[in-house]
Every structure is written in structure tokens, then in C-alpha cells.
Amino acid sequence: MYDNDKMETAVAQSRYYYENLASERPKFDDVRLNIYSKRAALKVAPSVLAIGYYSDEEEIIHGSGTIIESNDIMSIVLSSANLRRHCSEVVTKKRLINDLKVIVYSWDGKSYEGKLLAYNCYYNLVAISFHSESPLLTATLAHVDDSMSLQFSTSSSELLSSYSRSCNLTPGYKVVAMGRYFYMPFDLMAAPGAYCIGRCERNYCKYKCTELFKTNCRITKCGDGGPLINHSGEIIGFAYEGDYYGFSSLPFMPINIAYKWWEYYKKYGKYRRPFMGMKAANLYATDLDIAERLIRKFPSICEGIIIEKVMKGFSAEMAGLRVNDVIIECCGKTIHSFLEFFEIIWDKVGDLIELTVVRQNNAEPVHLKMLIVDATPDRFNRWPCDSDYNDNYYGDYYDNYNSQGFD
């Protein structure tokens, strides 16, 4: 037997959505969700929140976020700094910056006033805290392994166990972009897709940053900052909605980087971004002709990161790195992937590290030493940042031409 009042409320909410919200702020939902995607979405659902930014009760923008920590005192949500950036653009013009409010909405319709703890516009991340009556469910995080060998193998070792806390991203790996709509009844949104090889900037995505990976999920602005999950319902990154210039790629920040950023800020109260003056990518993502020449000379080298650009006057050049060098060892550890290298150098800022590289015109590996420095304000990137400098924007003003990772 249906509750007539609830039915009338649902009908009214649906009518309001289609008459007032659907055209400009549509939900994203996909009827292609299979049982595996649905199970994963339902597992993470309690941790997925809608986020609204307001100024003097005026609605500015909405997005989504994920609870990554919660206790009796507060809960922590990670989301996209796009929301914070947009607010700065709007409210600065209206001179209402001091009135900015953040409201988070849970699945049951409860709302909580949030506080901006930290935001970083290079990694495009924001951390928000809020108080609730009791601890809330937090999402399970999965460490992302982006290694993949150029050597053909029939082994199943790269497949993800259903209950693994580490997932190996390979082309076609199934993912789901999640979000929560900001208006009653605060519907859960899910868009299935798959991991795609390559970097977002190669497909003309506006986020010109090699720390970003990509999928072919399709979301709307209401899902900006929401979690990207695997079929085990584990968070593997945070999705960023944007303009794709005709390409169907959705950028996301891998959880490895997002979590490193948050943990460092939580411990030291400041931000970090390793800087070397180079652009690098996974070896498997390089051009076919380069890969062929390398493998013919070094048949055993099928993993590592390849140098795509070296900037004059910075650490990479001074260390002796060259374009098309392949880093195979760092600090005595074999390097299998981009994220693995990133996590090592994150903890080596200020240190002189040892590298082993192979290059096409050398018969033997070359051993180099390189200094890892922290990015300074004149080396920050504006990609999508506010126009005015703020001490909280560590990573805003990295030189525009130097828009790629490891810079």
C-alpha cells in the first residue's frame, strides 16, 4: 500500500526538477548500469555527498564529494577545487567573499554546514570538514597500480581480485563515476565506463596536467569532485567535470596522489608539490616507433617511465636526463609506473636521489643523481585557478607553459 503523501511529494519533486533544474543542472544517470556497477555504487553510496556553495543565501554552484574520514568530532570530505574556484570568481565580483557558505547533503536529506580546510588548485582538490551527530560511513580507498608491461603475457596476474585493496589499471578496466544530486530527494548518480590509456592533455582536455588519468565516463557538473570507483566499490580517484572539446574523456585524480596531498597537509599544515623540470609518462603510453627501438636494444626493459620533455636550467637537465630516457630505478627501487615514481619522490623533496636510466645510444644503463625540490610560487600552474594569489592556493601559479606533471 502506497503512502499518498510520499507519492505526492515525489511527484512534486520530479515536476520541479524537470521544470526548473533539468536543462541547466541535469543529473547524470545511465541505464547501462549492470549488476556489478550497481553493487559497487550501493556499497559506496553512504559516503557520497552533494555539496552546495552559497553566498548570502544565494546558490552559486553544486557538486559532489566523498567522506574519507569520520569520527565523533568531525568528518572530512574530499572534492574538486573547481567548486571553490568558481565561487571565488562569482563572489569576488559581488564583494561577498566573507559570506561564502558550504553545505553538504547526505543520502537521507540531512544537511551540514561545512568548513573549507584546504584546497590546492594544481591537484584540483579541496578538503571540507563538517560536524554530525555521530560518525558517518567512510569510503574504502584502493591503492592504484598503473604499471603495465609492453611485453605480451598470457598471465592473469594483472587481474584484480574482487576483494583487493590495490587495483591494477589496464585499458578497459571497469569504473563508475559517482555523484549525489543537490536537490530532494538527493538521488545517487552513477555513470559506468572504463579506464583509457594516455593522458587527458593529449585529447585536448582543459586540465593540462599529467598527474590526471582519464576514463570514458560521462558526468554533469553536479558530479564534479565525486568519487571514481571500481567494481569492488573502492575509491580509485576523484572525477573532474569540464569542457572536453568534443572528446569523451573524463579526467580523474588518482587516489594515490589525492591521499598523499591530504595526509601531508594534515600532518604539516602546508602543501607540497615535487618539482624537477621534466615531463614524464608511463613507458607503455609512448609512441610505437620509440617503444620498438627501445625494446630492440633492451629486450628486458618493458616497464618504467619515459622522459618526454626536459626544461632548461632545472633539476632534470642538471642531472643529465634527456628526452626519451627511460627511468627504470629510483633510490634503488625498480620503477614500474608513473604513480610508483611519484610516490617515491613525494617523500624525497629536498634530497638528491639516484636514478638508473636506459637510453637508445648507450649500451649500458646510465646512473644519475637528481635533486627533488618543492615547487615555488613562480612555478605554479593556473589550470583552473583563481586569478588572484592566495596563500592557500599552493600550486596555483605554476608557469603556464610548464603544465605537465613532475614539472
Side-chain angles (χ1 to χ4, degrees):
M1 183 175 180
Y2 291 102
D3 186 316
N4 290 332
D5 291 339
K6 289 184 179 180
M7 180 64 70
E8 290 176 4
T9 299
V11 171
Q13 291 171 349
S14 178
R15 183 183 299 116
Y16 182 84
Y17 169 75
Y18 285 106
E19 292 177 354
N20 299 278
L21 303 175
S23 60
E24 295 185 2
R25 288 171 293 177
K27 302 175 184 178
F28 65 90
D29 198 3
D30 202 306
V31 295
R32 295 177 301 153
L33 281 177
N34 58 31
I35 184 60
Y36 307 106
S37 297
K38 287 180 181 178
R39 285 174 179 168
L42 291 172
K43 177 181 177 180
V44 76
S47 304
V48 181
L49 305 176
I51 302 175
Y53 287 77
Y54 302 86
S55 178
D56 196 23
E57 305 305 323
E58 179 184 353
E59 172 191 310
I60 300 175
I61 192 172
H62 288 85
S64 298
T66 310
I67 303 173
I68 63 164
E69 295 179 12
S70 187
N71 55 38
D72 293 329
I73 301 175
M74 72 171 69
S75 296
I76 303 296
V77 175
L78 287 190
S79 184
S80 164
N82 279 339
L83 304 177
R84 177 63 181 85
R85 175 190 61 84
H86 182 84
C87 290
S88 293
E89 292 175 351
V90 173
V91 299
T92 299
K93 294 176 183 177
K94 296 182 179 181
R95 302 183 184 277
L96 294 173
I97 190 69
N98 292 327
D99 296 325
L100 181 65
K101 291 184 179 180
V102 183
I103 306 296
V104 296
Y105 303 92
S106 61
W107 65 273
D108 54 4
K110 292 182 179 179
S111 61
Y112 308 90
E113 185 166 352
K115 177 183 178 182
L116 288 173
L117 289 182
Y119 49 98
N120 181 301
C121 285
Y122 179 76
Y123 296 127
N124 203 33
L125 292 165
V126 64
I128 299 169
S129 67
F130 68 93
H131 297 274
S132 59
E133 301 84 357
S134 59
L136 302 177
L137 289 176
T138 59
T140 300
L141 311 181
H143 185 272
V144 174
D145 173 12
D146 61 326
S147 64
M148 186 165 55
S149 175
L150 285 172
Q151 188 176 51
F152 179 76
S153 173
T154 58
S155 168
S156 60
S157 61
E158 293 184 348
L159 297 178
L160 173 69
S161 167
S162 300
Y163 302 100
S164 175
R165 289 296 183 95
S166 179
C167 66
N168 182 228
L169 284 182
T170 56
Y173 182 81
K174 301 299 183 183
V175 296
V176 184
M178 303 289 300
R180 189 169 294 283
Y181 200 64
F182 63 91
Y183 181 74
M184 298 181 291
F186 304 101
D187 288 335
L188 187 67
M189 301 178 291
Y195 169 67
C196 305
I197 196 171
R199 297 295 183 196
C200 289
E201 97 283 352
R202 293 180 179 175
N203 280 347
Y204 307 101
C205 169
K206 74 175 183 179
Y207 301 109
K208 301 179 184 299
C209 172
T210 55
E211 281 90 348
L212 293 175
F213 287 34
K214 68 179 182 180
T215 77
N216 59 6
C217 302
R218 302 293 292 178
I219 67 172
T220 63
K221 290 184 178 180
C222 296
D224 188 24
L228 187 76
I229 65 173
N230 58 22
H231 274 187
S232 295
E234 300 163 328
I235 308 295
I236 66 169
F238 297 95
Y240 299 153
E241 192 276 341
D243 299 321
Y244 308 111
Y245 310 124
F247 292 89
S248 58
S249 59
L250 175 72
F252 73 95
M253 178 60 71
I255 191 63
N256 308 34
I257 298 175
Y259 196 69
K260 279 277 190 184
W261 170 79
W262 168 243
E263 286 294 303
Y264 188 84
Y265 178 82
K266 187 168 61 172
K267 184 175 182 179
Y268 298 105
K270 58 183 181 179
Y271 308 108
R272 162 170 286 185
R273 180 161 180 247
F275 174 77
M276 290 161 287
M278 71 183 194
K279 182 175 74 171
N282 277 315
L283 179 57
Y284 65 75
T286 195
D287 294 337
L288 182 62
D289 58 336
I290 296 174
E292 182 187 24
R293 289 195 294 271
L294 181 72
I295 289 179
R296 284 186 181 278
K297 188 160 189 176
F298 301 100
S300 63
I301 304 299
C302 297
E303 294 180 317
I305 62 170
I306 188 166
I307 307 302
E308 298 180 333
K309 181 179 180 180
V310 177
M311 296 171 56
K312 292 184 178 180
F314 295 103
S315 297
E317 184 194 41
M318 291 186 285
L321 282 170
R322 303 175 186 175
V323 172
N324 291 336
D325 279 355
V326 178
I327 299 176
I328 59 173
E329 287 187 8
C330 176
C331 300
K333 298 179 180 179
T334 301
I335 297 300
H336 301 95
S337 72
F338 180 90
L339 286 178
E340 183 179 27
F341 182 69
F342 179 93
E343 291 183 79
I344 292 174
I345 64 170
W346 180 278
D347 298 319
K348 298 295 182 180
V349 169
D351 295 343
L352 196 64
I353 65 171
E354 295 184 354
L355 300 175
T356 301
V357 306
V358 294
R359 55 177 56 137
Q360 294 179 23
N361 59 352
N362 283 68
E364 300 294 331
V366 179
H367 300 280
L368 306 172
K369 291 185 178 182
M370 180 172 64
L371 179 66
I372 309 298
V373 300
D374 214 349
T376 54
D378 62 314
R379 301 190 184 105
F380 293 164
N381 188 328
R382 297 173 184 266
W383 61 274
C385 301
D386 297 351
S387 57
D388 56 329
Y389 179 76
N390 181 301
D391 287 339
N392 281 333
Y393 281 107
Y394 187 91
D396 295 12
Y397 277 55
Y398 194 72
D399 212 2
N400 278 332
Y401 77 90
N402 179 29
S403 60
Q404 309 222 357
F406 295 153
D407 352 278

Short mmCIF file of all heavy atoms in Angstrom, two decimals, residues 156-209:
data_model
loop_
_atom_site.label_atom_id
_atom_site.label_comp_id
_atom_site.label_asym_id
_atom_site.label_seq_id
_atom_site.Cartn_x
_atom_site.Cartn_y
_atom_site.Cartn_z
N SER A 156 47.49 -14.08 -15.83
CA SER A 156 46.33 -13.38 -15.28
C SER A 156 46.73 -12.57 -14.05
O SER A 156 45.88 -12.13 -13.30
CB SER A 156 45.23 -14.38 -14.91
OG SER A 156 45.71 -15.30 -13.93
N SER A 157 48.03 -12.37 -13.86
CA SER A 157 48.49 -11.70 -12.65
C SER A 157 48.05 -10.25 -12.57
O SER A 157 48.05 -9.65 -11.51
CB SER A 157 50.02 -11.76 -12.57
OG SER A 157 50.60 -11.10 -13.69
N GLU A 158 47.67 -9.65 -13.72
CA GLU A 158 47.28 -8.25 -13.72
C GLU A 158 45.80 -8.07 -13.38
O GLU A 158 45.31 -6.96 -13.26
CB GLU A 158 47.57 -7.62 -15.08
CG GLU A 158 49.05 -7.52 -15.37
CD GLU A 158 49.35 -6.81 -16.67
OE1 GLU A 158 48.39 -6.60 -17.44
OE2 GLU A 158 50.51 -6.48 -16.92
N LEU A 159 45.07 -9.16 -13.24
CA LEU A 159 43.66 -9.03 -12.92
C LEU A 159 43.46 -8.71 -11.46
O LEU A 159 44.20 -9.16 -10.60
CB LEU A 159 42.92 -10.33 -13.27
CG LEU A 159 42.93 -10.72 -14.75
CD1 LEU A 159 42.20 -12.04 -14.94
CD2 LEU A 159 42.29 -9.64 -15.61
N LEU A 160 42.43 -7.94 -11.18
CA LEU A 160 42.16 -7.51 -9.81
C LEU A 160 41.32 -8.53 -9.06
O LEU A 160 40.29 -8.98 -9.53
CB LEU A 160 41.41 -6.17 -9.83
CG LEU A 160 40.90 -5.67 -8.49
CD1 LEU A 160 42.06 -5.26 -7.60
CD2 LEU A 160 39.95 -4.51 -8.67
N SER A 161 41.77 -8.90 -7.91
CA SER A 161 40.96 -9.74 -7.04
C SER A 161 39.75 -8.95 -6.57
O SER A 161 39.82 -7.76 -6.34
CB SER A 161 41.79 -10.17 -5.82
OG SER A 161 40.95 -10.73 -4.83
N SER A 162 38.61 -9.61 -6.43
CA SER A 162 37.38 -8.93 -6.04
C SER A 162 37.50 -8.22 -4.71
O SER A 162 36.77 -7.26 -4.45
CB SER A 162 36.22 -9.93 -5.99
OG SER A 162 36.02 -10.52 -7.25
N TYR A 163 38.39 -8.65 -3.86
CA TYR A 163 38.49 -8.07 -2.53
C TYR A 163 39.83 -7.40 -2.29
O TYR A 163 40.23 -7.18 -1.18
CB TYR A 163 38.25 -9.16 -1.48
CG TYR A 163 36.91 -9.82 -1.65
CD1 TYR A 163 36.80 -11.05 -2.29
CD2 TYR A 163 35.76 -9.19 -1.20
CE1 TYR A 163 35.56 -11.64 -2.48
CE2 TYR A 163 34.52 -9.78 -1.38
CZ TYR A 163 34.42 -11.00 -2.01
OH TYR A 163 33.20 -11.57 -2.19
N SER A 164 40.54 -7.07 -3.37
CA SER A 164 41.86 -6.45 -3.25
C SER A 164 41.75 -4.99 -2.84
O SER A 164 40.82 -4.30 -3.22
CB SER A 164 42.60 -6.55 -4.57
OG SER A 164 43.83 -5.87 -4.50
N ARG A 165 42.74 -4.52 -2.05
CA ARG A 165 42.83 -3.11 -1.70
C ARG A 165 43.76 -2.40 -2.69
O ARG A 165 44.07 -1.24 -2.50
CB ARG A 165 43.36 -2.94 -0.27
CG ARG A 165 42.36 -3.34 0.80
CD ARG A 165 41.13 -2.43 0.75
NE ARG A 165 40.21 -2.75 1.82
CZ ARG A 165 40.21 -2.12 2.99
NH1 ARG A 165 41.08 -1.18 3.23
NH2 ARG A 165 39.32 -2.46 3.91
N SER A 166 44.23 -3.09 -3.70
CA SER A 166 45.06 -2.49 -4.74
C SER A 166 44.51 -2.92 -6.08
O SER A 166 44.19 -4.09 -6.28
CB SER A 166 46.52 -2.93 -4.61
OG SER A 166 47.31 -2.38 -5.61
N CYS A 167 44.36 -1.96 -6.99
CA CYS A 167 43.81 -2.32 -8.30
C CYS A 167 44.80 -1.93 -9.39
O CYS A 167 45.45 -0.89 -9.32
CB CYS A 167 42.46 -1.65 -8.53
SG CYS A 167 42.52 0.14 -8.66
N ASN A 168 44.91 -2.77 -10.37
CA ASN A 168 45.82 -2.54 -11.49
C ASN A 168 45.03 -1.97 -12.66
O ASN A 168 44.19 -2.65 -13.24
CB ASN A 168 46.51 -3.84 -11.88
CG ASN A 168 47.50 -3.66 -12.99
OD1 ASN A 168 47.51 -4.40 -13.95
ND2 ASN A 168 48.35 -2.65 -12.89
N LEU A 169 45.28 -0.70 -12.99
CA LEU A 169 44.58 -0.06 -14.09
C LEU A 169 45.15 -0.50 -15.42
O LEU A 169 46.33 -0.26 -15.71
CB LEU A 169 44.70 1.45 -13.98
CG LEU A 169 43.85 2.17 -12.93
CD1 LEU A 169 44.07 3.67 -13.01
CD2 LEU A 169 42.37 1.85 -13.13
N THR A 170 44.34 -1.14 -16.22
CA THR A 170 44.70 -1.51 -17.57
C THR A 170 43.59 -0.99 -18.49
O THR A 170 42.46 -0.77 -18.04
CB THR A 170 44.83 -3.03 -17.73
OG1 THR A 170 43.61 -3.65 -17.31
CG2 THR A 170 45.98 -3.56 -16.87
N PRO A 171 43.87 -0.76 -19.77
CA PRO A 171 42.83 -0.26 -20.68
C PRO A 171 41.58 -1.14 -20.65
O PRO A 171 41.67 -2.36 -20.74
CB PRO A 171 43.52 -0.31 -22.04
CG PRO A 171 44.97 -0.16 -21.72
CD PRO A 171 45.17 -0.90 -20.44
N GLY A 172 40.45 -0.51 -20.49
CA GLY A 172 39.19 -1.24 -20.42
C GLY A 172 38.76 -1.61 -19.01
O GLY A 172 37.67 -2.15 -18.82
N TYR A 173 39.61 -1.32 -18.02
CA TYR A 173 39.27 -1.61 -16.61
C TYR A 173 37.99 -0.88 -16.24
O TYR A 173 37.87 0.33 -16.39
CB TYR A 173 40.43 -1.18 -15.72
CG TYR A 173 40.24 -1.47 -14.25
CD1 TYR A 173 40.50 -2.73 -13.74
CD2 TYR A 173 39.81 -0.47 -13.38
CE1 TYR A 173 40.35 -2.99 -12.39
CE2 TYR A 173 39.65 -0.73 -12.03
CZ TYR A 173 39.92 -1.98 -11.54
OH TYR A 173 39.76 -2.24 -10.20
N LYS A 174 36.99 -1.60 -15.74
CA LYS A 174 35.66 -1.05 -15.49
C LYS A 174 35.62 -0.15 -14.26
O LYS A 174 36.11 -0.53 -13.19
CB LYS A 174 34.63 -2.17 -15.33
CG LYS A 174 34.51 -3.10 -16.53
CD LYS A 174 34.09 -2.35 -17.79
CE LYS A 174 33.92 -3.29 -18.96
NZ LYS A 174 33.58 -2.56 -20.22
N VAL A 175 35.06 1.03 -14.43
CA VAL A 175 34.94 2.00 -13.34
C VAL A 175 33.55 2.62 -13.37
O VAL A 175 32.81 2.48 -14.35
CB VAL A 175 36.00 3.12 -13.46
CG1 VAL A 175 37.41 2.54 -13.31
CG2 VAL A 175 35.88 3.86 -14.79
N VAL A 176 33.20 3.31 -12.29
CA VAL A 176 31.92 4.02 -12.21
C VAL A 176 32.17 5.39 -11.58
O VAL A 176 32.76 5.48 -10.49
CB VAL A 176 30.89 3.26 -11.35
CG1 VAL A 176 29.54 3.99 -11.38
CG2 VAL A 176 30.72 1.83 -11.84
N ALA A 177 31.76 6.45 -12.26
CA ALA A 177 31.84 7.81 -11.71
C ALA A 177 30.56 8.06 -10.91
O ALA A 177 29.45 7.84 -11.41
CB ALA A 177 31.99 8.84 -12.81
N MET A 178 30.72 8.54 -9.67
CA MET A 178 29.60 8.69 -8.76
C MET A 178 29.36 10.15 -8.41
O MET A 178 30.25 10.99 -8.50
CB MET A 178 29.87 7.91 -7.46
CG MET A 178 30.15 6.44 -7.64
SD MET A 178 28.70 5.52 -8.12
CE MET A 178 27.63 5.84 -6.72
N GLY A 179 28.14 10.44 -7.99
CA GLY A 179 27.79 11.77 -7.51
C GLY A 179 26.47 11.71 -6.78
O GLY A 179 25.77 10.69 -6.78
N ARG A 180 26.11 12.80 -6.14
CA ARG A 180 24.80 12.90 -5.49
C ARG A 180 24.18 14.24 -5.87
O ARG A 180 24.84 15.28 -5.81
CB ARG A 180 24.92 12.77 -3.97
CG ARG A 180 23.53 12.65 -3.30
CD ARG A 180 23.64 12.27 -1.84
NE ARG A 180 24.19 10.94 -1.63
CZ ARG A 180 23.50 9.81 -1.81
NH1 ARG A 180 22.24 9.85 -2.22
NH2 ARG A 180 24.09 8.64 -1.58
N TYR A 181 22.90 14.19 -6.27
CA TYR A 181 22.23 15.42 -6.70
C TYR A 181 21.90 16.29 -5.50
O TYR A 181 21.62 15.78 -4.41
CB TYR A 181 20.96 15.08 -7.48
CG TYR A 181 20.50 16.22 -8.36
CD1 TYR A 181 21.29 16.65 -9.42
CD2 TYR A 181 19.29 16.87 -8.12
CE1 TYR A 181 20.87 17.70 -10.23
CE2 TYR A 181 18.87 17.92 -8.92
CZ TYR A 181 19.67 18.33 -9.97
OH TYR A 181 19.26 19.37 -10.76
N PHE A 182 21.92 17.60 -5.70
CA PHE A 182 21.81 18.55 -4.59
C PHE A 182 20.37 18.87 -4.19
O PHE A 182 20.15 19.55 -3.18
CB PHE A 182 22.51 19.86 -4.96
CG PHE A 182 21.89 20.57 -6.14
CD1 PHE A 182 20.89 21.50 -5.95
CD2 PHE A 182 22.30 20.28 -7.43
CE1 PHE A 182 20.31 22.16 -7.03
CE2 PHE A 182 21.73 20.92 -8.52
CZ PHE A 182 20.73 21.87 -8.32
N TYR A 183 19.39 18.41 -4.97
CA TYR A 183 18.01 18.74 -4.67
C TYR A 183 17.26 17.47 -4.27
O TYR A 183 17.58 16.38 -4.74
CB TYR A 183 17.35 19.41 -5.88
CG TYR A 183 15.91 19.81 -5.66
CD1 TYR A 183 15.60 20.92 -4.87
CD2 TYR A 183 14.86 19.10 -6.23
CE1 TYR A 183 14.28 21.29 -4.65
CE2 TYR A 183 13.56 19.46 -6.02
CZ TYR A 183 13.27 20.55 -5.23
OH TYR A 183 11.96 20.92 -5.00
N MET A 184 16.25 17.63 -3.40
CA MET A 184 15.47 16.48 -2.94
C MET A 184 14.97 15.65 -4.12
O MET A 184 14.54 16.22 -5.12
CB MET A 184 14.29 16.96 -2.10
CG MET A 184 14.71 17.70 -0.84
SD MET A 184 13.28 18.25 0.15
CE MET A 184 12.61 19.52 -0.94
N PRO A 185 15.02 14.34 -3.99
CA PRO A 185 15.38 13.52 -2.81
C PRO A 185 16.86 13.13 -2.76
O PRO A 185 17.19 12.08 -2.25
CB PRO A 185 14.50 12.30 -2.98
CG PRO A 185 14.43 12.10 -4.47
CD PRO A 185 14.43 13.49 -5.06
N PHE A 186 17.74 13.99 -3.29
CA PHE A 186 19.19 13.79 -3.22
C PHE A 186 19.60 12.44 -3.83
O PHE A 186 20.25 11.61 -3.20
CB PHE A 186 19.68 13.91 -1.77
CG PHE A 186 19.31 15.22 -1.14
CD1 PHE A 186 18.24 15.31 -0.26
CD2 PHE A 186 20.02 16.37 -1.45
CE1 PHE A 186 17.88 16.53 0.30
CE2 PHE A 186 19.66 17.59 -0.89
CZ PHE A 186 18.60 17.68 -0.02
N ASP A 187 19.19 12.26 -5.06
CA ASP A 187 19.43 11.00 -5.77
C ASP A 187 20.91 10.69 -5.94
O ASP A 187 21.73 11.59 -6.19
CB ASP A 187 18.77 11.04 -7.16
CG ASP A 187 17.27 10.95 -7.08
OD1 ASP A 187 16.76 10.41 -6.09
OD2 ASP A 187 16.60 11.44 -8.01
N LEU A 188 21.23 9.41 -5.85
CA LEU A 188 22.56 8.93 -6.16
C LEU A 188 22.70 8.88 -7.68
O LEU A 188 21.77 8.46 -8.38
CB LEU A 188 22.76 7.53 -5.58
CG LEU A 188 24.16 6.92 -5.68
CD1 LEU A 188 25.15 7.71 -4.81
CD2 LEU A 188 24.12 5.46 -5.25
N MET A 189 23.83 9.33 -8.19
CA MET A 189 24.08 9.32 -9.64
C MET A 189 25.28 8.43 -9.93
O MET A 189 26.25 8.41 -9.16
CB MET A 189 24.34 10.73 -10.15
CG MET A 189 23.19 11.70 -9.89
SD MET A 189 23.55 13.41 -10.45
CE MET A 189 24.81 13.90 -9.27
N ALA A 190 25.21 7.70 -11.03
CA ALA A 190 26.30 6.79 -11.38
C ALA A 190 26.44 6.71 -12.90
O ALA A 190 25.45 6.59 -13.61
CB ALA A 190 26.05 5.40 -10.80
N ALA A 191 27.67 6.79 -13.37
CA ALA A 191 27.94 6.68 -14.81
C ALA A 191 29.05 5.66 -15.02
O ALA A 191 30.19 5.88 -14.62
CB ALA A 191 28.36 8.04 -15.37
N PRO A 192 28.73 4.53 -15.63
CA PRO A 192 29.75 3.50 -15.84
C PRO A 192 30.67 3.86 -17.00
O PRO A 192 30.35 4.68 -17.86
CB PRO A 192 28.91 2.26 -16.18
CG PRO A 192 27.71 2.83 -16.86
CD PRO A 192 27.43 4.13 -16.17
N GLY A 193 31.83 3.26 -17.00
CA GLY A 193 32.78 3.49 -18.07
C GLY A 193 34.00 2.62 -17.88
O GLY A 193 33.97 1.62 -17.17
N ALA A 194 35.09 3.03 -18.51
CA ALA A 194 36.32 2.24 -18.43
C ALA A 194 37.53 3.17 -18.46
O ALA A 194 37.47 4.29 -18.97
CB ALA A 194 36.39 1.26 -19.60
N TYR A 195 38.62 2.68 -17.88
CA TYR A 195 39.87 3.42 -17.89
C TYR A 195 40.42 3.45 -19.31
O TYR A 195 40.37 2.47 -20.04
CB TYR A 195 40.88 2.75 -16.94
CG TYR A 195 42.28 3.27 -17.06
CD1 TYR A 195 42.61 4.57 -16.68
CD2 TYR A 195 43.30 2.45 -17.57
CE1 TYR A 195 43.90 5.04 -16.80
CE2 TYR A 195 44.60 2.91 -17.68
CZ TYR A 195 44.89 4.21 -17.30
OH TYR A 195 46.18 4.68 -17.41
N CYS A 196 40.95 4.62 -19.69
CA CYS A 196 41.51 4.79 -21.03
C CYS A 196 43.00 5.10 -20.93
O CYS A 196 43.43 5.86 -20.06
CB CYS A 196 40.82 5.94 -21.77
SG CYS A 196 39.03 5.79 -21.88
N ILE A 197 43.77 4.54 -21.82
CA ILE A 197 45.21 4.77 -21.82
C ILE A 197 45.50 6.19 -22.29
O ILE A 197 44.72 6.78 -23.05
CB ILE A 197 45.92 3.75 -22.71
CG1 ILE A 197 47.41 3.72 -22.41
CG2 ILE A 197 45.68 4.05 -24.18
CD1 ILE A 197 48.15 2.58 -23.10
N GLY A 198 46.60 6.75 -21.82
CA GLY A 198 47.01 8.08 -22.26
C GLY A 198 46.66 9.14 -21.24
O GLY A 198 46.02 8.90 -20.23
N ARG A 199 47.08 10.37 -21.54
CA ARG A 199 46.87 11.50 -20.66
C ARG A 199 45.77 12.38 -21.20
O ARG A 199 45.54 12.45 -22.40
CB ARG A 199 48.15 12.33 -20.53
CG ARG A 199 49.29 11.56 -19.90
CD ARG A 199 48.97 11.21 -18.47
NE ARG A 199 50.11 10.53 -17.87
CZ ARG A 199 50.03 9.85 -16.75
NH1 ARG A 199 48.89 9.74 -16.11
NH2 ARG A 199 51.09 9.26 -16.25
N CYS A 200 45.10 13.10 -20.30
CA CYS A 200 43.99 13.94 -20.70
C CYS A 200 44.41 15.03 -21.67
O CYS A 200 43.68 15.37 -22.58
CB CYS A 200 43.33 14.57 -19.47
SG CYS A 200 42.41 13.38 -18.49
N GLU A 201 45.62 15.61 -21.49
CA GLU A 201 46.01 16.72 -22.33
C GLU A 201 46.21 16.30 -23.77
O GLU A 201 46.13 17.11 -24.68
CB GLU A 201 47.26 17.42 -21.78
CG GLU A 201 48.58 17.01 -22.39
CD GLU A 201 49.05 15.68 -21.84
OE1 GLU A 201 48.43 15.15 -20.89
OE2 GLU A 201 50.04 15.16 -22.36
N ARG A 202 46.43 15.01 -23.99
CA ARG A 202 46.61 14.54 -25.36
C ARG A 202 45.28 14.50 -26.11
O ARG A 202 45.26 14.43 -27.33
CB ARG A 202 47.25 13.15 -25.36
CG ARG A 202 48.67 13.17 -24.84
CD ARG A 202 49.27 11.79 -24.86
NE ARG A 202 50.65 11.85 -24.38
CZ ARG A 202 51.40 10.78 -24.19
NH1 ARG A 202 50.91 9.58 -24.46
NH2 ARG A 202 52.63 10.88 -23.75
N ASN A 203 44.18 14.55 -25.41
CA ASN A 203 42.86 14.60 -26.04
C ASN A 203 42.22 15.97 -25.88
O ASN A 203 41.02 16.12 -25.91
CB ASN A 203 41.94 13.53 -25.44
CG ASN A 203 42.20 12.18 -26.03
OD1 ASN A 203 42.88 12.06 -27.04
ND2 ASN A 203 41.67 11.15 -25.42
N TYR A 204 43.07 16.99 -25.62
CA TYR A 204 42.62 18.37 -25.56
C TYR A 204 41.64 18.64 -24.44
O TYR A 204 40.75 19.48 -24.54
CB TYR A 204 41.99 18.78 -26.90
CG TYR A 204 42.90 18.52 -28.06
CD1 TYR A 204 42.74 17.40 -28.87
CD2 TYR A 204 43.97 19.36 -28.34
CE1 TYR A 204 43.60 17.13 -29.92
CE2 TYR A 204 44.85 19.11 -29.37
CZ TYR A 204 44.64 18.00 -30.16
OH TYR A 204 45.50 17.74 -31.19
N CYS A 205 41.80 17.96 -23.35
CA CYS A 205 41.06 18.27 -22.14
C CYS A 205 41.62 19.55 -21.56
O CYS A 205 42.81 19.84 -21.70
CB CYS A 205 41.19 17.12 -21.15
SG CYS A 205 40.59 17.49 -19.50
N LYS A 206 40.80 20.35 -20.89
CA LYS A 206 41.28 21.64 -20.38
C LYS A 206 42.26 21.48 -19.22
O LYS A 206 43.00 22.40 -18.91
CB LYS A 206 40.11 22.51 -19.93
CG LYS A 206 39.46 22.10 -18.60
CD LYS A 206 38.40 23.10 -18.19
CE LYS A 206 37.78 22.76 -16.85
NZ LYS A 206 36.77 23.75 -16.44
N TYR A 207 42.28 20.31 -18.56
CA TYR A 207 43.20 20.10 -17.46
C TYR A 207 44.53 19.59 -18.00
O TYR A 207 44.72 18.40 -18.19
CB TYR A 207 42.62 19.08 -16.47
CG TYR A 207 41.31 19.49 -15.89
CD1 TYR A 207 40.14 18.83 -16.26
CD2 TYR A 207 41.22 20.51 -14.96
CE1 TYR A 207 38.92 19.19 -15.71
CE2 TYR A 207 40.01 20.88 -14.42
CZ TYR A 207 38.86 20.21 -14.79
OH TYR A 207 37.66 20.57 -14.26
N LYS A 208 45.45 20.48 -18.23
CA LYS A 208 46.72 20.09 -18.84
C LYS A 208 47.71 19.69 -17.75
O LYS A 208 48.62 20.42 -17.41
CB LYS A 208 47.25 21.23 -19.70
CG LYS A 208 46.29 21.63 -20.82
CD LYS A 208 46.85 22.77 -21.63
CE LYS A 208 45.82 23.21 -22.66
NZ LYS A 208 45.47 22.17 -23.60
N CYS A 209 47.52 18.52 -17.22
CA CYS A 209 48.32 18.05 -16.09
C CYS A 209 48.48 16.54 -16.18
O CYS A 209 47.49 15.82 -16.23
CB CYS A 209 47.63 18.44 -14.78
SG CYS A 209 48.37 17.74 -13.32
#
